[in-house]
Amino acid sequence: MEILDGKKLAKKIRQQVKGEATQFVERWGRPPSLHVILVGDDPASHIYVRNKERACKKTGVASHQHLLPQETGQAELLQLIRKLNADNDVDAILVQMPLPKGIDSGLLLSAIAPTKDVDGFHPINLGKLYAGRAALRPCTPLACMRLIEETGVELPGKNAVVVGRSTVVGKPVAALLLEQHATVTICHSRTRNLAHVIAEADVLVAAAGSPELIKGEWLKRDAIAIDVGINRLEDGTLTGDLEFEAAAARASWITPVPGGVGPMTVAMVVANTLTAANARLTG
Ligand code: NDP
């Protein structure tokens, strides 16, 4: 079994982005820029935003934060998004989720210009993903795919099982696996006999948000196991959706939590910022 080290791979990606960001500055006279909108005081969200800012600094991507109070209204947020959409020096816009109650997150995400939608959640970008067309693609699913690529295992014809069907992770990662010619099964809370489905998986992507839901003994021997789940236990420790030790005993490759998909997602945000900037400016 080998550990898929997300921290190490994220560093490699940041180095690539740094080189490309330098070229971008030479060509356009300014760095690519990411604007993050964060509403309220959710501590986890503040950590995520700080991590993105750090990754930007390390790569020479300009990061701008719009830290807004909890009581900020929807109209004000829409106005800010429209202003950023219209600003030619803004390449990428990210609205940190979750938003306070009463704000329609779908409406805000749809207001972001699709060309600046670094998270790839705009319906146009999600539609293009399903249509197999070039577009900005969601960062966590991209992170999962890049980690799988690192194993060197060829995906065509492999059985891939995704646990979770959210728009943020489950559905888009399933689309990406399908694009790579895997035979994809998507599981969710109504799936019958999850263990039985997982036993067939050459590649497993777990994104249920349920601590150690997936038992190690369910895994097919030598499976690739990607654990997206981030679950904080009562004692403050983080755990994934997989029973790590037991899963590691059966898997050929496995991502740890923390240190797997998390740091890679942040690296993909920065990489997507550059993709957005290049695509927009070169038309
Ligand atoms: P959601 O809560 O939106 O979706 C969870 C999905 O898992 C749902 O489709 C749900 O099914 C399914 N599910 C829940 N319980 C079970 C179960 N017992 N059996 C089978 N399926 C189940 O979560 P997200 O997709 O947003 O996130 C998933 C996890 O990934 C979370 O832990 C989150 O913190 C983490 N995450 C990590 C990121 C990273 O960077 N590493 C980024 C984004 C998320 P149903 O649809 O039927 O309700």
Side-chain angles (χ1 to χ4, degrees):
M1 184 276 305
E2 291 193 58
I3 299 280
L4 273 169
D5 186 339
K7 270 191 181 170
K8 203 165 129 189
L9 187 54
K11 194 173 174 188
K12 194 164 131 186
I13 286 167
R14 285 198 306 269
Q15 277 162 356
Q16 284 166 2
V17 172
K18 193 174 179 181
E20 290 171 40
T22 306
Q23 288 172 7
F24 186 96
V25 174
E26 281 163 11
R27 179 156 184 201
W28 301 105
R30 65 162 181 87
S33 69
L34 169 67
H35 284 246
V36 176
I37 300 171
L38 172 54
V39 188
D41 316 314
D42 178 51
S45 294
H46 276 267
I47 292 172
Y48 294 143
V49 168
R50 206 179 312 137
N51 289 345
K52 285 165 195 162
E53 192 192 14
R54 279 193 193 136
C56 283
K57 277 208 175 109
K58 286 178 186 163
T59 48
V61 167
S63 151
H64 303 268
Q65 297 183 14
H66 303 264
L67 304 177
L68 303 168
Q70 182 82 13
E71 56 278 8
T72 308
Q74 190 164 287
E76 199 181 325
L77 288 169
L78 280 170
Q79 205 178 2
L80 172 59
I81 290 173
R82 288 193 191 112
K83 191 176 127 223
L84 298 175
N85 283 344
D87 186 340
N88 202 33
D89 286 344
V90 175
D91 297 306
I93 305 167
L94 185 152
V95 178
Q96 184 64 47
M97 298 292 156
L99 287 165
K101 281 200 183 85
I103 293 181
D104 182 345
S105 55
L107 188 79
L108 289 194
L109 294 177
S110 302
I112 297 173
T115 52
K116 299 187 179 189
D117 169 36
V118 71
D119 255 338
F121 295 152
H122 192 287
I124 286 187
N125 286 328
L126 289 171
K128 283 185 173 177
L129 168 63
Y130 278 95
R133 288 173 53 193
L136 290 165
R137 290 163 164 203
C139 297
T140 301
L142 280 180
C144 295
M145 296 308 288
R146 187 62 189 80
L147 284 158
I148 295 168
E149 189 187 325
E150 202 62 10
T151 67
V153 171
E154 301 284 336
L155 279 175
K158 292 284 189 320
N159 285 335
V161 171
V162 178
V163 184
R165 56 174 164 178
S166 73
T167 312
V168 178
V169 193
K171 282 183 200 161
V173 83
L176 292 171
L177 287 160
L178 190 60
E179 188 176 69
Q180 294 299 314
H181 315 292
T183 302
V184 183
T185 306
I186 307 176
C187 302
H188 45 79
S189 63
R190 317 280 177 95
T191 298
R192 289 186 196 152
N193 205 344
L194 190 61
H196 184 75
V197 182
I198 287 174
E200 296 296 319
D202 300 305
V203 177
L204 171 67
V205 179
S210 178
E212 301 191 344
L213 167 73
I214 296 164
K215 307 302 164 206
E217 67 196 30
W218 296 357
L219 263 67
K220 185 175 177 178
R221 214 161 269 291
D222 293 332
I224 296 171
I226 308 294
D227 195 348
V228 182
I230 303 176
N231 309 293
R232 194 169 287 281
L233 302 180
E234 274 179 14
D235 65 2
T237 54
L238 288 183
T239 186
D241 288 352
L242 289 171
E243 210 182 43
F244 183 80
E245 296 295 335
R250 289 179 82 92
S252 57
W253 295 86
I254 189 166
T255 59
V257 178
V261 177
M264 276 297 292
T265 295
V266 177
M268 297 323 284
V269 171
V270 187
N272 259 3
T273 298
L274 198 78
T275 305
N278 279 325
R280 212 168 51 81
L281 294 185
T282 55

